Amino acid sequence: MSLVQPITPQTLTAAAFAPYGQAIWSIPDHQPFTAADAQLSLDRGQPRFYIMRLQRPSRQFDLLTRHRQCTQCLAAVGGREWFLAVAPPNPDRDHPDLGAIAVFRIPGSCFVKLHVGTWHNGPFFDTDTAEFFNLELSCLLYTSDAA
């Protein structure tokens, strides 16, 4: 028997997203690097930056994925709003904390950087197709577990 648990999307703020990663908004050029910039971990393989084209996904999911070896950055091409389901990293466990799953409404004017090991599903969006900038490693070991 399947149980559907609705999750109300949260507004993306740096504080609300902190357990899962960083929310990054634009800054003026020539600003010095600070802790507010994306803190990347891409040293365990070849970084891969690409534009991924996705078909409209269902907003229901039963799996979460995590990247154990790197951070991941996602942003919508064209400035569209989108959604992402996340659960905090838990390196000592092989499955996410189901009670900690959150969904964020992400404005098209920023990108998110997921911490190493952050469980996630998405992007979710309302158009037939959407494109997203994606920065991760070129060869990843994924772990997916039932949500």
Side-chain angles (χ1 to χ4, degrees):
M1 183 168 130
S2 176
L3 172 67
V4 175
Q5 180 68 37
I7 303 171
T8 302
Q10 299 180 40
T11 300
L12 182 71
T13 66
F17 200 71
Y20 318 101
Q22 292 176 274
I24 308 291
W25 284 271
S26 67
I27 58 172
D29 197 15
H30 303 293
Q31 296 293 311
F33 183 80
T34 70
D37 290 308
Q39 305 296 305
L40 303 176
S41 178
L42 298 168
D43 61 340
R44 296 185 180 173
Q46 178 66 44
R48 180 182 186 206
F49 180 65
Y50 66 104
I51 299 173
M52 62 180 183
R53 184 178 313 110
L54 301 173
Q55 301 296 315
R56 183 190 334 222
S58 165
R59 289 212 179 163
Q60 291 186 7
F61 59 91
D62 58 4
L63 293 175
L64 292 171
T65 298
R66 65 179 169 175
H67 304 280
R68 293 177 177 220
Q69 301 296 317
C70 69
T71 54
Q72 180 181 17
C73 294
L74 294 166
V77 174
R80 293 180 175 162
E81 176 181 85
W82 56 289
F83 301 85
L84 185 68
V86 289
N90 53 0
D92 299 329
R93 298 178 65 197
D94 289 331
H95 52 83
D97 177 357
L98 301 183
I101 296 173
V103 174
F104 285 90
R105 178 186 312 270
I106 302 172
S109 59
C110 71
F111 74 91
V112 295
K113 188 265 333 193
L114 301 177
H115 293 315
V116 173
T118 293
W119 296 92
H120 59 284
N121 193 309
F124 302 102
F125 47 90
D126 293 325
T127 56
D128 289 337
T129 62
E131 294 178 331
F132 291 84
F133 296 109
N134 190 355
L135 175 62
E136 58 187 5
L137 293 182
S138 61
C139 180
L140 292 173
L141 299 175
Y142 291 98
T143 301
S144 296
D145 285 285

